[in-house]
Amino acid sequence: MAAHFGRLRKGATTTAVAAVAVAALSASQAPGVTTDDLGRQAAGAAQPSGDANTGGEGGGATGDSPYYTDLPPLKSPNPSPSASPTTGTPVSVGEAEAGIPATVLDAYKKAEAELRASKPGCNLPWQLLAAIGKVESGQARGGRVDASGTTYSPILGPKLDGNGFALIADTDNGAYDGDPAYDRAVGPMQFIPSTWAWAGRDGNGDGKKDPNNVYDAALAAGHYLCRFDRDLSVQSQMNAAILNYNNSTEYLNTVLSWLEYYRKGTHEVPDGTGTLPSHSSNSDPGASPSPSTPATPSTPSTPSTPSTPKPGSGGSTSPTPKPPAPSSPAPSPTPPTPTQTVDHLEDANTGKLTATAGSAFGTKVAVRAESKASKGVAKVRVRFTIIGDTDATFTGGESVATVVTGSAGTATAPALVAGEKAGDFTVRATVVGRVLGGLDYTATVTPRQADTLTRTGDTALTCVPGGEFADLVELKATYKGAVAGKVAATATLIKSADDATENDKGPYFKDAEGKTIRTLTDLTTDADGVLKLPKLYADDATGTFLLRVNTTGGAVLTVELKVAAAAS
């Protein structure tokens, strides 16, 4: 889309030089390279539109609308500093460009997680969505979105009326782009209405598919890129997906440059503070900027000095120049969003977080977003993140969940589900879009337990000296009368009922190399609570010997093993 914001890119020349290598590589992989009537390179012939039948091919998801051409800065050990637009604190250009607004970043990561579950073979990296979002809309104009992820005002590309752009007559009666004559690219990911009609997704679960919502748009873009069973870990297939999105090799090179940059590291910045691009692929100097965002007012010219009367002119002078027209009044300050009024998070009566491995926690983490006056703030996004060495997840299998506060300012995380790894981990609650201290909750996963062990059979376990036991030892574990599956156990051949140290004679097991062992660790009951021990062997010692099995939770069973010479 057309350029209408301005922080000029620093180091553009050196960055452009660095991009040449990327461009050369990508161009060599893009078949059928031609040049369109705007002087851009394009792969393949553009179609007049992208509808449900063509799948958006040719014109792609955006109808080949203009896009931002700013390239990422080159990282250097000592990048030149520039002042932060919000704090005035010096930050490096590289650091600023690597910042992605919090809600926008959350949308990209959620889309990646959904595609990882629904289309695992696609291998979509969220950094690719971020690269496209940067090129298409400057990350939703630096993150100017509300708590639900919807832009404060629509992001619209120019009319696709064939005047310097593709010709796409209206397909949505202006429903998405407000234009009943021609289509326009819409939203943070710049979908044309005819593509959105079939590619749109509901990414934030509000029951709507809104191209101006960054969650919906990011998820739709992910599915669009993953069509045709593409594997985006294969470079040629990733290139094809990007060219499908906007049919230009220059576009491909720009997106790949940002993808590589974001893969080297990014960080979250508050919503509305992201850096804004300033260069557009629109080569028509007379083209208007996006109608949804006013162009920067021009500076009034300085009045010229009245001319000096010429001799013999009767003292007449040139007319006094008219004063310049007053510039447009400054826009009213934007009222603070609910997120900006949050001062801190408070616990909302979260109980003790404990669960047995493999089961759901009975308590959910709940917090309250409050203002300085300790009043609850509604419509604020709260992010819950599982931190630590654990395989516990929220319901649905994710380690991050974002919830919007209700009317009382309370947000409750989805239920936690314990994995198999026992121990403590942390659930951290933070406000999306604000740099505030979060709340940490300790959650504990206890190992699976059994309180009873019994033999599944009652056959006497006997053997002759130097022989092997005909029957295997099979046990069943229960906990409070229920099957105790996946419970850890240990089996040891002990010296006596009063001496649980390992015996040095009598029956034994064999390890993988056939060596004698008399203690088995890392045993686990199966899903039905059954534990089958390996085959037992006997040395030359005769008598009655004891095998003791212990489980997590305190279940203990002692089994008799008899070794005697065969009857004559």
Side-chain angles (χ1 to χ4, degrees):
M1 55 187 296
H4 44 265
F5 295 104
R7 185 185 71 79
L8 287 179
R9 176 171 47 90
K10 297 183 184 293
T13 302
T14 53
T15 305
V17 171
V20 170
V22 176
L25 172 62
S26 302
S28 68
Q29 297 172 339
V33 174
T34 60
T35 303
D36 64 13
D37 57 3
L38 293 180
R40 298 181 305 176
Q41 283 188 325
Q47 301 296 326
S49 66
D51 57 23
N53 295 325
T54 64
E57 304 304 327
T62 71
D64 287 346
S65 294
Y67 56 91
Y68 289 116
T69 58
D70 298 52
L71 292 170
L74 288 173
K75 289 189 176 182
S76 59
N78 297 294
S80 58
S82 61
S84 164
T86 54
T87 65
T89 305
V91 296
S92 73
V93 175
E95 290 173 343
E97 291 290 358
I100 299 177
T103 298
V104 180
L105 180 60
D106 188 55
Y108 296 150
K109 291 186 176 181
K110 275 190 171 297
E112 180 199 56
E114 196 279 344
L115 267 298
R116 190 187 310 122
S118 63
K119 296 183 178 180
C122 178
N123 295 305
L124 171 77
W126 67 260
Q127 292 92 340
L128 176 57
L129 295 176
I132 291 176
K134 179 71 171 181
V135 169
E136 294 293 348
S137 68
Q139 311 297 20
R141 296 196 194 112
R144 292 294 298 158
V145 296
D146 63 19
S148 68
T150 302
T151 58
Y152 287 124
S153 58
I155 300 176
L156 300 175
K159 292 182 180 181
L160 298 176
D161 58 3
N163 184 21
F165 308 111
L167 174 59
I168 304 180
D170 176 68
T171 62
D172 65 329
N173 293 320
Y176 293 120
D177 55 15
D179 192 332
Y182 300 98
D183 274 351
R184 300 169 182 244
V186 183
M189 304 303 277
Q190 289 288 276
F191 280 92
I192 54 175
S194 57
T195 301
W196 184 261
W198 59 267
R201 294 291 193 279
D202 177 14
N204 62 350
D206 63 356
K208 297 184 295 184
K209 299 176 183 178
D210 182 2
N212 286 300
N213 181 279
V214 70
Y215 286 94
D216 295 0
L219 183 58
H223 278 279
Y224 188 94
L225 294 165
C226 287
R227 292 177 306 152
F228 311 132
D229 293 326
R230 290 191 182 106
D231 180 358
L232 300 186
S233 65
V234 178
Q235 188 62 52
S236 60
Q237 295 189 40
M238 176 183 283
N239 290 356
I242 297 170
L243 286 168
N244 250 180
Y245 207 90
N246 191 314
N247 197 19
S248 162
T249 304
E250 290 180 357
Y251 180 87
L252 169 67
N253 298 335
T254 306
V255 170
L256 290 176
S257 295
W258 282 106
L259 170 62
E260 181 64 17
Y261 182 75
Y262 286 145
R263 276 176 163 167
K264 292 178 180 177
T266 60
H267 59 272
E268 179 181 292
V269 299
D271 289 343
T273 66
T275 58
L276 301 171
S278 56
H279 298 78
S280 172
S281 66
N282 179 11
S283 58
D284 181 0
S288 302
S290 168
S292 63
T293 304
T296 305
S298 59
T299 305
S301 58
T302 305
S304 59
T305 306
S307 57
T308 305
K310 295 181 180 179
S313 64
S316 64
T317 62
S318 302
T320 303
K322 295 179 181 180
S327 59
S328 302
S332 316
T334 304
T337 64
T339 300
Q340 292 169 330
T341 66
V342 177
D343 179 71
H344 60 276
L345 289 175
E346 285 288 336
D347 176 52
N349 299 317
T350 300
K352 190 174 182 180
L353 298 169
T354 59
T356 303
S359 63
F361 284 73
T363 301
K364 296 180 180 179
V365 178
V367 299
R368 187 168 185 258
E370 295 186 352
S371 65
K372 284 186 178 180
S374 295
K375 293 183 177 180
V377 183
K379 298 182 179 179
V380 173
R381 300 190 74 81
V382 176
R383 180 181 297 141
F384 298 94
T385 306
I386 295 174
I387 301 171
D389 183 17
T390 181
D391 53 357
T393 64
F394 292 113
T395 301
E398 297 186 11
S399 60
V400 178
T402 306
V403 180
V404 179
T405 57
S407 58
T410 302
T412 302
L416 284 164
V417 179
E420 295 303 323
K421 188 173 290 186
D424 293 343
F425 64 92
T426 299
V427 179
R428 178 168 297 163
T430 56
V431 176
V432 176
R434 288 295 304 276
V435 182
L436 296 173
L439 292 181
D440 284 355
Y441 295 86
T442 299
T444 302
V445 177
T446 58
R448 295 174 184 263
Q449 301 179 47
D451 55 16
T452 305
L453 273 175
T454 56
R455 280 191 63 196
T456 58
D458 55 7
T459 303
L461 299 169
T462 62
C463 182
V464 297
E468 57 185 53
F469 288 80
D471 297 303
L472 299 179
V473 178
E474 183 176 293
L475 312 173
K476 186 163 186 177
T478 57
Y479 182 69
K480 295 181 179 179
V483 168
K486 299 182 180 180
V487 175
T490 301
T492 305
L493 290 150
I494 59 177
K495 291 185 175 180
S496 69
D498 299 324
D499 185 355
T501 57
E502 183 181 287
N503 207 340
D504 55 1
K505 61 181 180 179
Y508 61 90
F509 299 104
K510 290 182 179 180
D511 64 12
E513 298 177 353
K515 296 180 180 178
T516 298
I517 55 172
R518 290 188 169 89
T519 298
L520 297 176
T521 58
D522 298 326
L523 300 172
T524 306
T525 62
D526 64 17
D528 297 322
V530 174
L531 176 65
K532 293 182 179 179
L533 298 184
K535 181 181 288 293
L536 278 161
Y537 302 86
D539 60 14
D540 293 336
T542 59
T544 299
F545 300 90
L546 301 179
L547 169 66
R548 181 163 292 174
V549 182
N550 300 269
T551 70
T552 304
V556 180
L557 180 66
T558 302
V559 179
E560 284 191 351
L561 306 172
K562 294 183 178 180
V563 180
S568 59

